Amino acid sequence: MAASQTYVLASLPSHKITKMPQAVLNKEQKMKVPYMLKQGQSRIFHELPSGLNMEVIYQKGVRTRTPDEKLLNPPPLVFVHGSFHAAWCWAEHWLPFFAQNGFDSYALSLLGQGESDAPDGSVAGSLQTHAAGIADFIKNQTTLSPVLIGHSFGGLIVQYYIANLEKDTSGNLAGAVLVCSVPPTGNSGLVWRYLFTKPVAAFKVTMSLAAKAFQTSLPLCKETFFSREMDDHLVLRYQELMTGSSRMPLFDLRKLNASLPVASVSNLSTRVLVMGASDDFIVDAKGLEETGSFYGMQPVCIEGVAHDMMLDSSWNKGAELILSWIQNSDGKI
């Protein structure tokens, strides 16, 4: 694990980069294992039109000016987690990294996850409701078009956002990054491939995720989400946080699969980066290729990292790729 660093936050330039969400104070703690914020981070709550509050972990970008600076006004970054995670998974490494590189960074906890409120019912929502909550946050809390970054099922939500909500000018994106994302057809193809080609792996994935055995088995948790090199004490810490992160399922999977595939977008104007991990135990190479093909691009597979790329022992590899991609976007970002 990288050593913690203390950042001195420089003052913002005279023009506003992003709006600061309104904080809701004295919120009752929902996670049994609380996540302690790092230096320079704050936990705030965005009120959705439903009246429910969405947890946001925010870290202001460090503003430095150098003669060769490529981004005078870097876009804000909005991070969306997947199942069994919450905003904290981005706050551990990637928020400090991108803030140090000048980006105002917002990690969201979807409803029913982390410290966000839970809606009525047995599941947290649908692609439509989760994407609508993200769109409401972007519309009301950012003044520059953001880069939207989604992991795993969070990546599927970002795909839905691109296909359905970005056409609303208030929801325009500067770019989108899909990290170890569930493909646009959902996870059913992944499951069937594993059953026929990797039956042992299929059994382990089913036990780990569907039966939630990752919550009680450290070896299975490590194999599911992390690289072999990951220290066990870190795996244990993240296992505890993941166990407490999801108070209800993100989706009703049967209804979700019935609503897929994600609609394709002709003449897509949003720049998209599709990236995966060579040691991903959940999303296989064909799943990564499917997502890249959907967006007409060659996906990038990062060697030596696993599904939880943002928490893994080589977390910097993915962060550095995204940073390079944003900084070399031919002026589109």
Side-chain angles (χ1 to χ4, degrees):
M1 182 176 180
S4 60
Q5 302 182 53
T6 300
Y7 302 119
V8 179
L9 300 183
S11 60
L12 287 168
S14 57
H15 60 280
K16 188 180 292 184
I17 296 296
T18 58
K19 290 187 279 188
M20 187 69 178
Q22 295 296 312
V24 178
L25 303 179
N26 300 320
K27 299 267 307 168
E28 182 181 352
Q29 181 179 300
K30 297 179 174 65
M31 288 181 61
K32 294 181 180 179
V33 179
Y35 180 77
M36 303 303 294
L37 300 182
K38 296 182 178 297
Q39 176 93 20
Q41 295 178 348
S42 57
R43 178 176 283 110
I44 50 189
F45 292 87
H46 171 71
E47 184 174 349
L48 297 170
S50 64
L52 298 175
N53 288 293
M54 176 185 288
E55 177 193 20
V56 182
I57 298 180
Y58 168 71
Q59 190 158 359
K60 183 188 296 184
V62 177
R63 302 290 190 250
T64 58
R65 301 298 181 202
T66 60
D68 60 346
E69 184 178 32
K70 295 181 179 180
L71 293 173
L72 293 178
N73 294 321
L77 308 182
V78 177
F79 296 87
V80 183
H81 64 84
S83 296
F84 307 116
H85 292 66
W88 63 265
C89 72
W90 305 105
E92 187 77 349
H93 299 299
W94 281 21
L95 256 62
F97 174 87
F98 285 106
Q100 187 182 34
N101 281 281
F103 296 88
D104 289 344
S105 299
Y106 303 85
L108 311 182
S109 286
L110 300 170
L111 291 181
Q113 321 300 307
E115 298 295 339
S116 290
D117 290 342
D120 292 334
S122 59
V123 297
S126 63
L127 282 178
Q128 294 88 339
T129 60
H130 288 310
I134 296 166
D136 185 76
F137 174 82
I138 290 174
K139 178 181 178 180
N140 290 287
Q141 308 297 354
T142 65
T143 54
L144 290 179
S145 295
V147 175
L148 189 57
I149 303 170
H151 174 253
S152 197
F153 266 116
L156 189 63
I157 295 170
V158 171
Q159 293 175 54
Y160 180 90
Y161 185 105
I162 293 171
N164 294 277
L165 298 180
E166 206 199 357
K167 56 191 175 184
D168 177 356
T169 55
S170 65
N172 282 349
L173 300 177
V177 181
L178 306 176
V179 182
C180 300
S181 178
V182 172
T185 55
N187 67 347
S188 57
L190 300 172
V191 172
W192 283 108
R193 275 197 301 275
Y194 272 51
L195 283 172
F196 284 107
T197 63
K198 302 176 181 178
V200 174
F203 175 77
K204 287 184 176 180
V205 170
T206 300
M207 287 298 297
S208 182
L209 301 178
K212 301 182 182 179
F214 80 88
Q215 297 180 351
T216 55
S217 170
L218 189 69
L220 190 56
C221 182
K222 185 172 185 176
E223 187 173 11
T224 304
F225 296 106
F226 305 108
S227 299
R228 293 178 181 178
E229 296 76 19
M230 190 77 162
D231 290 339
D232 283 351
H233 76 278
L234 287 177
V235 176
L236 178 60
R237 176 170 176 252
Y238 297 147
Q239 180 189 44
E240 292 174 343
L241 286 166
M242 285 189 283
T243 299
S245 288
S246 186
R247 304 190 306 283
M248 59 199 320
L250 276 182
F251 307 102
D252 179 320
L253 289 179
R254 286 179 294 181
K255 291 181 179 179
L256 172 67
N257 288 325
S259 71
L260 297 172
V262 171
S264 61
V265 180
S266 58
N267 301 317
L268 179 65
S269 60
T270 301
R271 185 177 172 88
V272 179
L273 171 63
V274 178
M275 55 192 294
S278 65
D279 300 333
D280 196 328
F281 195 64
I282 298 174
V283 180
D284 63 5
K286 287 189 177 180
L288 177 62
E289 291 170 5
E290 178 192 331
T291 305
S293 177
F294 184 79
Y295 290 101
M297 66 184 61
Q298 183 66 36
V300 179
C301 185
I302 300 178
E303 295 294 325
V305 291
H307 186 71
D308 270 18
M309 185 185 299
M310 63 287 192
L311 292 171
D312 211 4
S313 52
S314 296
W315 62 265
N316 56 297
K317 291 181 178 180
E320 288 167 358
L321 173 64
I322 295 172
L323 178 63
S324 176
W325 178 79
I326 293 175
Q327 292 177 334
N328 295 281
S329 295
D330 299 323
K332 294 182 181 179
I333 293 183

